[in-house]
Amino acid sequence: MCWLFASLLLKLDAIESYDTRFKIRGSQARSLDVVLVTINPNDYAQISKIFSSDKNLSSLISINELNNVTDSFFWDEKIWSDLLTQILIQKPKKIGVTLFFGDNIGKTILNKKNLDLFKNQQIIWASNSSFADKTSMPFTTTLNRSNIGSIDLLKDDDGIVRRALLDPDQMPSMAERLAAVKDPLKKSSQVINFNGSNRFQSISMKSILKHEVPPNFFTNKIVLIGSEKTNNQQILTPFGQMSRHEFWGQVTDNFVHEKFIRKLPILIYVVLLLLLTIVCAFIITSYPQAVSLFFFAWLGTVWTAASIWTFDTFAIWIPVASAYALIVLIWITYIGYQALRIEKAHYKLQQEQNYLSELEQLKNNFVSLISHDLKTPIAKIQAVVDRLNLQNNLPVEKRPETKDDLNNLKDYSEELNRYIQSILKLLRVESKEFKIHKETADLNGVIENVVERLKPLAAAKNIDLQLNLEPMFLIEFDVTLVTEVILNLIENAIKYTANNGVVNVHTTETDFDVLVEVTDTGEGISQQDLEHIWKKFTRGKNQDLKTKGSGLGLYLAKYFIELHGGKISVKSELGKGTAFYIRLPIETN
């Protein structure tokens, strides 16, 4: 999940994020391929006064508006003839004039010498548009237009120029002409790899005209000529304001050394993020949190350093934001996962504590049950046995009938046996090996058999045991377990119903299940006891001294019914009797 999210962030990687990279990179070595010739407007004005008789120029200088001069201000045939001649003497590779001289300088008539000089194929003149039309052509344009290059700019929404406009269907740019690019790039723009200001050697026009140029200064170099940062010559770059000829020097240097910023195919970035994900997952699952945090910080630092080194050395962009997002997301996800595990462990521990507390309570209940309920039938059995022993010592004619004592002894033994069987049954059904054995049977038949067994118990209390059984189809259930449930419910109904009461057993069938309803006219169950009747070894507080029982019957009944995928519920009110409801599904798994 974290890897996919970080991969999606690659789409949000904007070109503006490169600006920071340019600013934080260290000092760069000066380019040995590009040289700048800078024209200072004040110097040019002074030189122009000597060579030109243009009175308008004198008035312009007098009002101190040199910062707002246009390209046409810098045109003077003689000055440019001397300037270009001095540069060509040292045999440069190319000369690029970034000032536009076209219709803006008016009609110009050149002598043959200067015409041949200005149309020299080594000199590239600026065109102020990438579309070739009359208004954008410099006056020195040759017929094949091979000596002109566009200086058209591609500005982003914030006004900063970050890309060079390159289109094979339009006029080549100044940089393409100077770098002698043979095959135009397929893309319409390239991200410029800015290497900072003052990266190129520079010399003033005044020094050249005064013949103060060092030997071989221009030899085998690309020379760009332009003015200083006047208002009309400034270009906004990630490094701030940059003069036009310095800007095109940066672009030309990119072409010469093929150092435009390149993005790798997005699949490579996705694979790199996947590898980073695997490393992070290994670290965070193998080391403690404190150590993992240190390694994560180290990974982020290494990734950043590698990205900066790749950017500076090979001009390849390796995103950092998506990698940071991936590392942070993995850390947050793992911490959340660990918190969830701790919470689950805490909950499990709490459940175990509750279980142990319940087990302790069950043990106490069991001990209480044994000490209270089991000792009574044992004492009665012992009393009957003692009485029989005493009677055996009497003469035969004085011995009373022992039939009643023997019957009582049998009843007490059966009572003790029921307690023991209940406990053994509980141990059996709660074992892991316990399984139910379903068979197709008639539920009504099971109920009738149970009622037949309990008729003597009902007759002893003169209880009317009513059956209201609707015809039903055969269903699958464990006959033994369901018989135990029905027996327990009806026996409890008889046990807790006063003499001359009524116990009713009713069955019905729906589309999805069968319903068994056992109601009585007994004294009912309090709301407080209703919350606990399904627990093991739990009996109503008012019943402990009135009736005998193990407190396991309803617990086992609920357990058996739920094993069948059914439900058992109860409704009761003190003084108004009790009703138990059993629902067994017709179709079971």
Side-chain angles (χ1 to χ4, degrees):
M1 180 191 67
C2 299
W3 168 63
L4 288 175
F5 183 80
S7 298
L8 291 176
L9 287 181
L10 293 172
K11 292 290 185 181
L12 304 178
D13 188 24
I15 189 174
E16 289 81 1
S17 58
Y18 297 2
D19 294 0
T20 305
R21 293 288 186 92
F22 294 137
K23 294 175 182 177
I24 65 174
R25 66 181 2 171
S27 58
Q28 303 290 308
R30 282 199 165 191
S31 173
L32 301 177
D33 301 289
V34 178
V35 174
L36 303 182
V37 175
T38 303
I39 306 175
N40 182 283
N42 288 315
D43 291 344
Y44 188 84
Q46 293 174 4
I47 295 172
S48 295
K49 285 183 179 181
I50 300 173
F51 293 97
S52 175
S53 60
D54 189 349
K55 303 302 181 182
N56 292 329
L57 178 60
S58 300
S59 62
L60 179 63
I61 297 172
S62 63
I63 60 176
N64 196 25
E65 292 183 352
L66 291 178
N67 285 331
N68 294 316
V69 295
T70 60
D71 289 3
S72 59
F73 168 79
F74 296 99
W75 174 250
D76 186 277
E77 180 181 347
K78 172 116 175 49
I79 293 175
W80 280 94
S81 174
D82 291 346
L83 178 65
L84 294 174
T85 300
Q86 292 296 325
I87 296 174
L88 287 171
I89 288 175
Q90 292 194 4
K91 297 181 179 180
K93 284 184 179 179
K94 291 282 185 179
I95 300 174
V97 180
T98 61
L99 299 167
F100 175 68
F101 299 130
D103 292 345
N104 58 335
I105 63 173
K107 188 175 181 180
T108 303
I109 300 175
L110 303 176
N111 58 45
K112 186 177 184 309
K113 178 182 177 183
N114 287 341
L115 183 62
D116 292 339
L117 173 64
F118 294 154
K119 289 189 177 184
N120 189 309
Q121 290 298 311
Q122 285 186 280
I123 303 174
I124 308 298
W125 297 86
S127 169
N128 59 8
S129 173
S130 57
F131 296 95
D133 56 39
K134 185 176 180 181
T135 59
S136 66
M137 296 294 102
F139 74 96
T140 56
T141 304
T142 59
L143 292 177
N144 61 5
R145 298 175 180 172
S146 60
N147 68 332
I148 60 174
S150 169
I151 56 172
D152 203 3
L153 301 176
L154 182 60
K155 296 182 179 180
D156 291 332
D157 294 337
D158 56 2
I160 297 177
V161 180
R162 299 182 176 89
R163 292 170 291 179
L165 182 62
L166 310 171
D167 193 336
D169 297 328
Q170 299 177 11
M171 181 186 301
S173 67
M174 172 68 70
E176 289 178 278
R177 292 293 196 192
L178 294 175
V181 177
K182 296 180 179 179
D183 298 322
L185 296 175
K186 301 293 183 183
K187 295 182 180 179
S188 60
S189 64
Q190 285 282 341
V191 179
I192 303 169
N193 187 2
F194 288 97
N195 287 288
S197 301
N198 304 318
R199 185 168 183 268
F200 307 110
Q201 288 183 300
S202 179
I203 191 170
S204 68
M205 178 198 68
K206 185 177 181 181
S207 297
I208 298 174
L209 294 178
K210 288 184 175 181
H211 304 282
E212 297 175 353
V213 183
N216 301 320
F217 188 76
F218 299 117
T219 303
N220 208 27
K221 305 285 180 62
I222 297 175
V223 182
L224 283 106
I225 305 174
S227 71
E228 287 185 342
K229 301 174 186 177
T230 61
N231 292 341
N232 294 311
Q233 293 284 328
Q234 295 181 113
I235 297 175
L236 188 59
T237 71
F239 282 99
Q241 299 288 353
M242 189 175 287
S243 63
R244 188 190 296 170
H245 65 312
E246 184 179 7
F247 169 82
W248 284 107
Q250 298 269 0
V251 180
T252 303
D253 189 62
N254 277 211
F255 271 111
V256 171
H257 298 285
E258 297 183 353
K259 280 200 171 183
F260 284 105
I261 302 299
R262 292 179 295 136
K263 272 189 174 183
L264 300 175
I266 193 168
L267 181 61
I268 295 180
Y269 294 139
V270 170
V271 171
L272 288 175
L273 291 177
L274 179 59
L275 293 176
L276 182 62
T277 303
I278 295 173
V279 172
C280 290
F282 171 76
I283 290 174
I284 208 164
T285 55
S286 303
Y287 298 98
Q289 289 187 11
V291 178
S292 298
L293 183 61
F294 168 78
F295 277 121
F296 273 33
W298 179 79
L299 273 178
T301 303
V302 170
W303 185 282
T304 303
S307 177
I308 294 175
W309 177 76
T310 306
F311 187 82
D312 289 346
T313 307
F314 304 105
I316 295 177
W317 172 255
I318 303 295
V320 171
S322 53
Y324 282 171
L326 175 63
I327 293 174
V328 172
L329 279 173
I330 291 177
W331 178 260
I332 293 175
T333 302
Y334 178 76
I335 293 300
Y337 169 70
Q338 287 290 78
L340 182 61
R341 285 183 59 188
I342 294 173
E343 184 179 355
K344 284 185 176 181
H346 177 72
Y347 176 77
K348 186 177 179 181
L349 180 61
Q350 188 175 14
Q351 290 295 100
E352 290 179 355
Q353 290 176 344
N354 294 338
Y355 173 75
L356 293 175
S357 177
E358 183 181 353
L359 188 62
E360 180 67 20
Q361 184 63 37
L362 290 176
K363 183 192 74 172
N364 294 335
N365 290 344
F366 180 75
V367 172
S368 176
L369 172 69
I370 295 297
S371 62
H372 181 269
D373 288 341
L374 295 187
K375 69 181 180 180
T376 302
I378 293 174
K380 291 179 180 179
I381 292 172
Q382 290 176 345
V384 172
V385 172
D386 291 340
R387 189 162 54 250
L388 290 174
N389 289 330
L390 290 174
Q391 291 173 357
N392 287 332
N393 295 327
L394 295 175
V396 176
E397 63 276 6
K398 293 184 178 181
R399 291 179 186 177
E401 294 293 332
T402 61
K403 183 178 181 180
D404 291 339
D405 287 337
L406 292 174
N407 288 334
N408 290 336
L409 186 60
K410 180 182 178 182
D411 292 339
Y412 301 152
S413 299
E414 289 179 352
E415 183 180 347
L416 180 60
N417 183 62
R418 281 199 300 271
Y419 286 133
I420 296 173
Q421 291 300 322
S422 296
I423 295 172
L424 293 176
K425 192 181 299 179
L426 175 66
L427 296 175
R428 183 172 65 88
V429 301
E430 289 191 339
S431 67
K432 295 182 179 180
E433 293 78 16
F434 178 75
K435 295 181 181 179
I436 62 174
H437 302 282
K438 293 183 180 180
E439 56 183 296
T440 303
D442 180 12
L443 183 59
N444 285 341
V446 172
I447 295 174
E448 290 172 348
N449 292 335
V450 171
V451 170
E452 192 66 29
R453 290 170 57 183
L454 295 176
K455 277 184 178 180
L457 182 62
K461 299 179 68 174
N462 197 25
I463 291 176
D464 183 11
L465 189 55
Q466 300 176 353
L467 287 180
N468 183 14
L469 309 178
E470 297 183 2
M472 294 189 298
F473 290 102
L474 300 180
I475 63 172
E476 287 187 353
F477 59 93
D478 189 313
V479 175
T480 303
L481 298 185
V482 173
T483 299
E484 289 284 341
V485 174
I486 301 298
L487 179 64
N488 181 269
L489 294 183
I490 298 177
E491 186 178 15
N492 283 349
I494 296 172
K495 187 188 300 184
Y496 296 114
T497 299
N499 294 342
N500 302 315
V502 177
V503 174
N504 182 272
V505 182
H506 172 66
T507 62
T508 186
E509 185 178 32
T510 67
D511 294 336
F512 306 103
D513 52 25
V514 294
L515 173 65
V516 180
E517 180 180 351
V518 180
T519 60
D520 62 57
T521 58
E523 60 187 62
I525 306 172
S526 68
Q527 293 299 317
Q528 183 179 2
D529 288 339
L530 279 176
E531 300 176 0
H532 306 286
I533 62 173
W534 306 111
K535 296 180 179 180
K536 290 181 285 189
F537 303 113
T538 302
R539 303 178 66 236
K541 294 181 179 179
N542 296 329
Q543 303 301 328
D544 287 341
L545 300 177
K546 294 180 181 179
T547 58
K548 301 301 179 182
S550 63
L552 293 173
L554 291 180
Y555 169 79
L556 293 173
K558 183 173 185 294
Y559 186 78
F560 293 157
I561 294 301
E562 289 179 348
L563 282 177
H564 286 79
K567 294 182 180 179
I568 184 171
S569 58
V570 61
K571 289 183 180 180
S572 184
E573 188 175 347
L574 285 176
K576 296 184 179 181
T578 303
F580 281 90
Y581 303 93
I582 299 173
R583 288 187 178 274
L584 288 173
I586 293 176
E587 295 183 1
T588 60
N589 294 327

Coordinates of all heavy atoms in Angstrom, one line a residue, residues 446-469 486-506 516-521:
V446 N -39.5 -37.2 19.8 CA -38.6 -37.0 20.9 C -39.3 -36.3 22.1 O -39.1 -36.8 23.3 CB -37.4 -36.1 20.5 CG1 -36.5 -35.8 21.7 CG2 -36.5 -36.9 19.4
I447 N -40.1 -35.3 21.8 CA -40.8 -34.6 22.9 C -41.8 -35.5 23.6 O -41.9 -35.6 24.8 CB -41.5 -33.4 22.3 CG1 -40.4 -32.3 21.8 CG2 -42.4 -32.7 23.4 CD1 -41.0 -31.2 21.1
E448 N -42.5 -36.3 22.8 CA -43.5 -37.3 23.4 C -42.8 -38.3 24.3 O -43.3 -38.6 25.4 CB -44.2 -38.0 22.3 CG -45.2 -37.0 21.5 CD -45.8 -37.7 20.3 OE1 -45.3 -38.8 19.9 OE2 -46.8 -37.1 19.7
N449 N -41.6 -38.8 23.9 CA -40.9 -39.7 24.7 C -40.4 -39.1 26.1 O -40.5 -39.7 27.1 CB -39.7 -40.3 24.0 CG -40.0 -41.1 22.8 OD1 -41.1 -41.7 22.8 ND2 -39.2 -41.2 21.8
V450 N -40.0 -37.8 26.0 CA -39.6 -37.1 27.2 C -40.7 -36.9 28.1 O -40.7 -37.1 29.3 CB -38.9 -35.8 26.8 CG1 -38.7 -35.0 28.1 CG2 -37.6 -36.0 26.1
V451 N -41.9 -36.5 27.6 CA -43.1 -36.3 28.4 C -43.5 -37.6 29.0 O -43.9 -37.6 30.2 CB -44.2 -35.7 27.5 CG1 -45.5 -35.7 28.3 CG2 -43.8 -34.3 27.1
E452 N -43.4 -38.7 28.3 CA -43.8 -40.0 28.9 C -43.0 -40.3 30.1 O -43.4 -40.9 31.1 CB -43.7 -41.0 27.8 CG -44.3 -42.3 28.2 CD -45.9 -42.2 28.3 OE1 -46.5 -41.4 27.6 OE2 -46.4 -43.0 29.1
R453 N -41.7 -40.0 30.0 CA -40.8 -40.3 31.1 C -41.1 -39.4 32.4 O -40.8 -39.8 33.5 CB -39.3 -40.1 30.7 CG -38.8 -41.1 29.7 CD -37.4 -40.7 29.2 NE -36.4 -40.5 30.2 CZ -35.2 -40.0 30.0 NH1 -34.8 -39.8 28.7 NH2 -34.3 -39.9 31.0
L454 N -41.5 -38.2 32.1 CA -41.7 -37.2 33.2 C -43.2 -37.2 33.7 O -43.5 -36.4 34.6 CB -41.3 -35.8 32.7 CG -39.8 -35.6 32.4 CD1 -39.6 -34.2 31.9 CD2 -38.9 -35.9 33.6
K455 N -44.0 -38.0 33.2 CA -45.4 -38.0 33.7 C -45.5 -38.3 35.1 O -46.3 -37.7 35.9 CB -46.3 -39.0 32.8 CG -46.8 -38.4 31.5 CD -47.7 -39.3 30.8 CE -48.2 -38.7 29.5 NZ -49.1 -39.6 28.8
P456 N -44.8 -39.3 35.6 CA -44.8 -39.6 37.1 C -44.4 -38.4 37.9 O -45.0 -38.2 39.0 CB -43.9 -40.8 37.2 CG -43.8 -41.4 35.9 CD -43.9 -40.3 34.9
L457 N -43.4 -37.7 37.5 CA -43.0 -36.5 38.2 C -44.1 -35.4 38.2 O -44.3 -34.8 39.3 CB -41.7 -35.9 37.6 CG -41.1 -34.7 38.3 CD1 -40.7 -35.0 39.7 CD2 -39.9 -34.2 37.5
A458 N -44.8 -35.3 37.1 CA -45.9 -34.3 37.0 C -47.0 -34.7 37.9 O -47.7 -34.0 38.6 CB -46.3 -34.0 35.6
A459 N -47.3 -36.0 37.8 CA -48.5 -36.6 38.5 C -48.3 -36.5 40.0 O -49.2 -36.2 40.8 CB -48.7 -38.0 38.1
A460 N -47.0 -36.6 40.5 CA -46.8 -36.4 41.9 C -47.1 -35.1 42.5 O -47.5 -34.9 43.6 CB -45.3 -36.7 42.2
K461 N -47.1 -34.0 41.6 CA -47.5 -32.7 42.0 C -48.8 -32.2 41.4 O -49.2 -31.1 41.5 CB -46.4 -31.7 41.6 CG -45.0 -32.0 42.2 CD -44.0 -31.0 41.7 CE -44.2 -29.6 42.2 NZ -43.1 -28.7 41.9
N462 N -49.5 -33.2 40.8 CA -50.8 -32.9 40.2 C -50.7 -31.8 39.2 O -51.6 -30.9 39.2 CB -51.8 -32.6 41.3 CG -53.3 -32.7 40.8 OD1 -53.5 -33.5 39.8 ND2 -54.2 -32.0 41.3
I463 N -49.7 -31.8 38.4 CA -49.4 -30.8 37.4 C -50.0 -31.3 36.0 O -49.8 -32.5 35.7 CB -47.9 -30.5 37.2 CG1 -47.4 -29.8 38.5 CG2 -47.7 -29.7 36.0 CD1 -46.0 -29.5 38.5
D464 N -50.7 -30.4 35.4 CA -51.3 -30.8 34.1 C -50.3 -30.6 33.0 O -49.9 -29.5 32.7 CB -52.5 -29.9 33.8 CG -53.2 -30.2 32.5 OD1 -52.9 -31.3 31.9 OD2 -54.1 -29.4 32.0
L465 N -49.7 -31.7 32.5 CA -48.7 -31.7 31.4 C -49.3 -31.7 30.1 O -49.8 -32.8 29.6 CB -47.7 -32.8 31.7 CG -46.5 -32.8 30.8 CD1 -45.7 -31.6 31.0 CD2 -45.6 -34.0 31.2
Q466 N -49.4 -30.6 29.4 CA -50.2 -30.5 28.1 C -49.2 -30.5 26.9 O -48.1 -30.0 27.0 CB -51.0 -29.1 28.1 CG -52.0 -29.0 29.2 CD -52.7 -27.6 29.1 OE1 -52.3 -26.8 28.4 NE2 -53.7 -27.5 30.0
L467 N -49.6 -31.2 25.9 CA -48.9 -31.2 24.6 C -49.7 -30.6 23.5 O -50.9 -30.9 23.3 CB -48.5 -32.7 24.2 CG -47.4 -33.4 25.1 CD1 -47.2 -34.8 24.6 CD2 -46.2 -32.6 25.0
N468 N -49.1 -29.7 22.8 CA -49.7 -29.0 21.6 C -48.7 -29.1 20.5 O -48.0 -28.1 20.1 CB -50.1 -27.6 21.9 CG -50.8 -26.9 20.8 OD1 -51.3 -27.6 19.9 ND2 -51.0 -25.6 20.9
L469 N -48.6 -30.3 19.8 CA -47.6 -30.5 18.8 C -48.2 -30.5 17.4 O -49.1 -31.3 17.1 CB -46.9 -31.9 19.1 CG -46.4 -32.1 20.5 CD1 -45.8 -33.5 20.6 CD2 -45.4 -31.1 20.9
I486 N -34.6 -31.0 25.9 CA -36.1 -31.0 26.1 C -36.4 -31.6 27.5 O -37.2 -31.0 28.3 CB -36.8 -31.9 25.1 CG1 -36.5 -31.3 23.7 CG2 -38.3 -32.0 25.3 CD1 -37.1 -30.0 23.4
L487 N -35.6 -32.6 27.9 CA -35.8 -33.2 29.2 C -35.5 -32.2 30.3 O -36.3 -32.1 31.3 CB -34.9 -34.4 29.4 CG -34.9 -35.2 30.7 CD1 -36.3 -35.8 31.0 CD2 -33.8 -36.2 30.8
N488 N -34.4 -31.4 30.2 CA -34.1 -30.4 31.2 C -35.1 -29.3 31.3 O -35.5 -28.9 32.4 CB -32.7 -29.8 30.8 CG -32.3 -28.8 31.8 OD1 -32.5 -27.6 31.7 ND2 -31.5 -29.2 32.9
L489 N -35.6 -28.8 30.2 CA -36.6 -27.7 30.2 C -37.9 -28.2 30.8 O -38.5 -27.4 31.7 CB -36.8 -27.2 28.8 CG -35.6 -26.5 28.1 CD1 -36.0 -25.9 26.8 CD2 -35.0 -25.4 29.0
I490 N -38.4 -29.3 30.4 CA -39.7 -29.8 30.9 C -39.6 -30.2 32.4 O -40.4 -29.9 33.2 CB -40.2 -31.0 30.1 CG1 -40.5 -30.5 28.7 CG2 -41.5 -31.5 30.7 CD1 -40.9 -31.6 27.7
E491 N -38.4 -30.8 32.8 CA -38.2 -31.2 34.2 C -38.1 -30.0 35.0 O -38.7 -29.9 36.1 CB -37.0 -32.0 34.3 CG -36.7 -32.6 35.7 CD -35.5 -33.5 35.7 OE1 -34.7 -33.4 34.8 OE2 -35.3 -34.2 36.7
N492 N -37.4 -28.9 34.6 CA -37.4 -27.7 35.3 C -38.7 -27.0 35.5 O -39.1 -26.5 36.5 CB -36.4 -26.7 34.6 CG -35.0 -27.0 34.9 OD1 -34.6 -27.9 35.7 ND2 -34.1 -26.4 34.1
A493 N -39.5 -27.1 34.4 CA -40.8 -26.5 34.4 C -41.7 -27.2 35.5 O -42.4 -26.5 36.3 CB -41.5 -26.6 33.1
I494 N -41.6 -28.5 35.6 CA -42.4 -29.3 36.6 C -41.8 -29.0 38.0 O -42.6 -28.8 38.9 CB -42.3 -30.8 36.3 CG1 -43.0 -31.1 34.9 CG2 -43.0 -31.6 37.4 CD1 -42.8 -32.5 34.5
K495 N -40.5 -28.9 38.1 CA -39.8 -28.8 39.4 C -40.2 -27.4 40.0 O -40.4 -27.3 41.2 CB -38.3 -28.9 39.2 CG -37.6 -28.9 40.5 CD -36.1 -28.9 40.2 CE -35.6 -30.1 39.4 NZ -34.1 -30.0 39.3
Y496 N -40.2 -26.4 39.2 CA -40.4 -25.0 39.7 C -41.9 -24.5 39.6 O -42.1 -23.4 39.8 CB -39.5 -24.0 39.0 CG -38.0 -24.3 39.2 CD1 -37.2 -24.7 38.1 CD2 -37.5 -24.2 40.5 CE1 -35.9 -25.0 38.4 CE2 -36.2 -24.4 40.7 CZ -35.4 -24.8 39.6 OH -34.0 -25.1 39.9
T497 N -42.8 -25.4 39.2 CA -44.2 -25.1 39.2 C -44.9 -25.7 40.4 O -44.7 -26.9 40.8 CB -44.9 -25.7 37.9 OG1 -44.2 -25.1 36.8 CG2 -46.4 -25.3 37.9
A498 N -45.7 -24.9 41.1 CA -46.4 -25.3 42.3 C -47.4 -26.4 42.0 O -47.8 -26.7 40.8 CB -47.1 -24.2 43.0
N499 N -47.9 -27.1 43.0 CA -48.9 -28.2 42.8 C -50.1 -27.6 42.1 O -50.5 -26.5 42.3 CB -49.3 -28.8 44.2 CG -48.1 -29.5 44.8 OD1 -47.1 -29.9 44.2 ND2 -48.2 -29.8 46.1
N500 N -50.7 -28.5 41.3 CA -51.9 -28.2 40.6 C -51.7 -27.1 39.5 O -52.6 -26.5 39.0 CB -53.0 -27.6 41.5 CG -53.4 -28.7 42.6 OD1 -53.5 -29.9 42.3 ND2 -53.5 -28.2 43.8
G501 N -50.4 -26.9 39.1 CA -50.1 -26.0 38.0 C -50.2 -26.6 36.6 O -50.7 -27.7 36.5
V502 N -49.7 -25.9 35.6 CA -49.8 -26.3 34.2 C -48.5 -26.1 33.5 O -47.8 -25.1 33.7 CB -50.9 -25.5 33.4 CG1 -50.9 -26.0 32.0 CG2 -52.3 -25.7 34.1
V503 N -48.1 -27.1 32.8 CA -46.9 -27.1 32.0 C -47.3 -27.4 30.6 O -47.9 -28.5 30.3 CB -45.8 -28.0 32.4 CG1 -44.6 -28.0 31.4 CG2 -45.3 -27.6 33.8
N504 N -47.0 -26.5 29.6 CA -47.4 -26.7 28.2 C -46.2 -26.8 27.3 O -45.3 -26.0 27.4 CB -48.3 -25.5 27.8 CG -48.9 -25.7 26.4 OD1 -48.2 -25.3 25.4 ND2 -50.0 -26.3 26.2
V505 N -46.2 -27.7 26.4 CA -45.2 -27.9 25.4 C -45.8 -27.7 24.0 O -46.8 -28.5 23.7 CB -44.5 -29.3 25.5 CG1 -43.4 -29.4 24.4 CG2 -44.0 -29.5 26.9
H506 N -45.4 -26.8 23.3 CA -46.0 -26.4 22.0 C -44.9 -26.4 20.9 O -43.8 -25.9 21.1 CB -46.6 -25.1 22.0 CG -47.1 -24.6 20.7 ND1 -48.1 -25.2 20.0 CD2 -46.7 -23.5 19.9 CE1 -48.3 -24.6 18.8 NE2 -47.5 -23.5 18.8
V516 N -39.9 -24.8 19.4 CA -40.4 -25.5 20.6 C -40.5 -24.6 21.7 O -39.6 -23.8 22.1 CB -39.4 -26.7 21.0 CG1 -39.9 -27.4 22.2 CG2 -39.1 -27.6 19.8
E517 N -41.7 -24.5 22.3 CA -42.0 -23.6 23.4 C -42.5 -24.4 24.6 O -43.4 -25.2 24.5 CB -43.1 -22.6 22.9 CG -43.5 -21.6 24.0 CD -44.7 -20.7 23.5 OE1 -45.0 -20.8 22.3 OE2 -45.2 -20.0 24.3
V518 N -41.8 -24.1 25.7 CA -42.1 -24.8 27.0 C -42.5 -23.7 28.0 O -41.6 -22.9 28.4 CB -40.9 -25.6 27.5 CG1 -41.3 -26.3 28.8 CG2 -40.5 -26.7 26.5
T519 N -43.7 -23.7 28.4 CA -44.2 -22.7 29.3 C -44.8 -23.3 30.6 O -45.2 -24.5 30.6 CB -45.3 -21.8 28.7 OG1 -46.4 -22.7 28.3 CG2 -44.8 -21.1 27.4
D520 N -44.7 -22.6 31.7 CA -45.2 -23.1 32.9 C -45.9 -22.0 33.7 O -45.8 -20.8 33.3 CB -44.1 -23.7 33.8 CG -43.0 -22.7 34.2 OD1 -43.3 -21.7 34.8 OD2 -41.8 -23.0 33.8
T521 N -46.6 -22.4 34.8 CA -47.3 -21.4 35.6 C -46.6 -21.2 36.9 O -47.2 -21.0 38.0 CB -48.8 -21.8 35.8 OG1 -48.8 -23.1 36.4 CG2 -49.5 -21.8 34.5

